[in-house]
Amino acid sequence: MLEIKPIFNALLRSKVGAVLLLIQIAITTAIVSNAAFIIKDRLDYLNQPTGYEEENIFKFNVMTFGTDVDLIQQVDLDEQMLRAMPGVVDAVQISAVPLSGGGSSTGFRLKPVPEKSKSVNASYFETDEHGLNTLGVNLIAGRNFTEDEVVLNRDYSKFPKVALATKALMDDLYPGEDGLGKVIYMGDQPLTIVGIIGMMKGPWLKIENRKDKSVLLPTVSPGKLHQFLVRTEPGRRAEVMKQIESAMHSNYAKRVIQDLTGLDVKKADYVAEDRLMMRMLVILISVLVLVTALGIFGLTLFNINKRTKQIGTRRALGARKSAIISYFVVENSLICIAGLVLGVCGAVLLGQQLMANYSVPALSNWYVAITAVAVFVMSLLAVIGPARRAANIDPSIATRTI
């Protein structure tokens, strides 16, 4: 068995390199554990189910510059034309596009303003009775609103009486109760919930307390700039998208078609910063691990060159190669363990700061433990090569007087 004390004393005699490596291991452990946890959190965020057939849905904007048109009537004609196109499941004019990062939200209440009551913020979409089918989300209770419940608004003077709401919203407003048939208020306007939608993400995936809470309002109020959402049969979206501009112009020419984009592409644009951050963190982890491994490798080589005569003397006195390898492995392990203790404390403190200042979830202890084990194994692998080189030093060359 190797004695720890001589190894520790040897480290104290050349402590600068050991301290630098210790700090490097500590920094690597602290940063890598938090970065790996953030990557996992971002992957869960990017891959979360949304409730939509994203690859079969697309949207486009219509900018109307003609003055000889009734926009509400034109929207109805456009919807009929779109629904009749081969490959189209359904189409609708809608006030906002889910997963896009843009839309409208407000507080939905149990009592009308100005009475005090619980209020829950949620996104809302203005659409007609085809909105539910176009979005492709599941109605888990109740019914869709009917055509005669859709309010046609030219001056925003009318307000719908019914609405569809997601289960997440109704569970928040009426915990432990069945939300179907309940009345909620948008400002001072009552809305009877005639249908409950299962999963339906809103426009803002990044807003945790709002992303699952949405309301569909049966109202049509298009302006000069409005947008359509179209759901196609699987595999036919690209085919349908190619026909949209010519079909819309054939229906009415004095307008411009803009932002013809798939729902999955809109989502990808919205989460692009998160993908970039995740890739940068992967690069950061790779660089840190590589630099730390090279540091261990370099320090061990330095120690071998510095102790060539010492190693050769031990070999001449009968020390086996395994003893030489074990010496450097134990020496490296002492440095690594000290660095890991410091790094684990740093990881916990860094995780707390990220949670407090950047709304990052609490760091899981498993990530700290796994990172520490991985860094320790990596350090052992990095030292094996130089240690074997030291064990192969010829005693006669090592002990030669220079």
Side-chain angles (χ1 to χ4, degrees):
M1 290 291 291
L2 285 171
E3 294 186 10
I4 301 297
K5 187 175 180 180
I7 298 175
F8 185 73
N9 290 334
L11 285 173
L12 290 178
R13 287 193 295 271
S14 56
K15 54 182 174 291
V16 175
V19 169
L20 290 176
L21 184 59
L22 181 152
I23 293 173
Q24 189 175 12
I25 289 173
I27 292 173
T28 299
T29 303
I31 293 178
V32 168
S33 57
N34 279 279
F37 179 72
I38 292 172
I39 289 172
K40 176 60 167 60
D41 179 66
R42 291 298 87 187
L43 282 172
D44 291 342
Y45 161 72
L46 293 171
N47 297 323
Q48 64 182 302
T50 61
Y52 308 105
E53 298 176 9
E54 297 170 29
E55 68 284 354
N56 298 326
I57 299 175
F58 67 91
K59 59 87 61 177
F60 62 92
N61 297 341
V62 178
M63 171 65 78
T64 303
F65 55 85
T67 57
D68 57 337
V69 63
D70 183 313
L71 288 175
I72 289 182
Q73 290 181 358
Q74 187 60 52
V75 162
D76 186 49
L77 292 173
D78 291 337
E79 287 180 337
Q80 292 180 37
M81 180 268 296
L82 290 169
R83 294 166 193 154
M85 292 177 66
V88 172
V89 175
D90 214 337
V92 74
Q93 188 266 328
I94 195 166
S95 63
V97 176
L99 315 181
S100 65
S104 301
S105 68
T106 190
F108 289 89
R109 305 161 52 87
L110 298 179
K111 295 181 180 180
V113 173
E115 294 184 49
K116 292 183 179 180
S117 71
K118 181 177 183 180
S119 178
V120 177
N121 201 280
S123 56
Y124 63 90
F125 301 84
E126 296 178 356
T127 185
D128 64 25
E129 73 276 10
H130 291 268
L132 186 70
N133 189 43
T134 303
L135 291 166
V137 292
N138 292 324
L139 195 66
I140 60 175
R143 61 173 178 85
N144 189 14
F145 35 70
T146 60
E147 184 177 358
D148 59 1
E149 290 172 327
V150 177
V151 174
L152 304 180
N153 257 320
R154 288 180 171 83
D155 56 4
Y156 295 95
S157 61
K158 302 176 183 177
F159 199 85
K161 300 298 182 184
V162 300
L164 307 180
T166 57
K167 186 176 187 299
L169 174 60
M170 298 311 294
D171 285 348
D172 203 343
L173 284 171
Y174 291 96
E177 299 182 43
D178 183 3
L180 188 64
K182 300 290 187 182
V183 175
I184 63 176
Y185 289 85
M186 187 174 178
D188 60 353
Q189 299 293 330
L191 293 166
T192 301
I193 303 302
V194 297
I196 305 292
I197 301 169
M199 179 179 292
M200 176 183 166
K201 301 295 183 183
W204 305 284
L205 292 175
K206 298 177 184 179
I207 304 178
E208 189 65 31
N209 64 348
R210 194 190 304 171
K211 65 180 181 180
D212 294 309
K213 299 166 186 175
S214 296
V215 173
L216 295 186
L217 299 174
T219 180
V220 176
S221 50
K224 290 288 185 180
L225 176 64
H226 54 274
Q227 53 195 347
F228 287 91
L229 207 63
V230 180
R231 181 160 72 99
T232 68
E233 297 171 0
R236 302 192 68 177
R237 188 177 72 177
E239 169 195 341
V240 175
M241 290 176 70
K242 290 178 181 178
Q243 307 172 47
I244 290 298
E245 190 166 357
S246 59
M248 293 295 289
H249 283 151
S250 67
N251 228 19
Y252 182 71
K254 297 178 183 180
R255 53 187 174 177
V256 178
I257 309 304
Q258 304 170 325
D259 195 23
L260 183 60
T261 313
L263 186 59
D264 52 346
V265 177
K266 294 298 291 185
K267 178 186 173 185
D269 290 342
Y270 174 63
V271 301
E273 291 183 359
D274 298 275
R275 290 189 183 277
L276 177 61
M277 181 188 70
M278 188 175 65
R279 290 166 184 164
M280 291 177 66
L281 288 175
V282 170
I283 294 172
L284 175 65
I285 288 174
S286 302
V287 170
L288 278 174
V289 170
L290 178 61
V291 169
T292 303
L294 289 175
I296 296 170
F297 185 84
L299 180 64
T300 308
L301 280 180
F302 174 77
N303 287 335
I304 289 170
N305 292 330
K306 187 177 178 181
R307 304 174 193 170
T308 300
K309 292 184 67 174
Q310 174 190 342
I311 296 167
T313 301
R314 290 191 62 193
R315 292 280 289 118
L317 293 174
R320 292 177 297 179
K321 291 184 178 181
S322 59
I324 302 298
I325 293 174
S326 297
Y327 178 92
F328 286 102
V329 169
V330 172
E331 182 182 71
N332 177 76
S333 296
L334 289 175
I335 298 172
C336 189
I337 289 171
L340 289 175
V341 171
L342 187 61
V344 166
C345 296
V348 174
L349 291 175
L350 179 59
Q352 290 175 348
Q353 290 300 311
L354 290 172
M355 181 175 64
N357 298 314
Y358 298 99
S359 301
V360 175
L363 175 64
S364 169
N365 292 333
W366 280 105
Y367 281 83
V368 180
I370 292 171
T371 301
V373 171
V375 170
F376 186 76
V377 171
M378 180 268 296
S379 71
L380 293 179
L381 295 176
V383 82
I384 289 296
R388 293 181 65 180
R389 177 179 172 180
N392 289 326
I393 291 177
D394 191 285
S396 63
I397 296 175
T399 57
R400 185 180 301 164
T401 301
I402 299 176

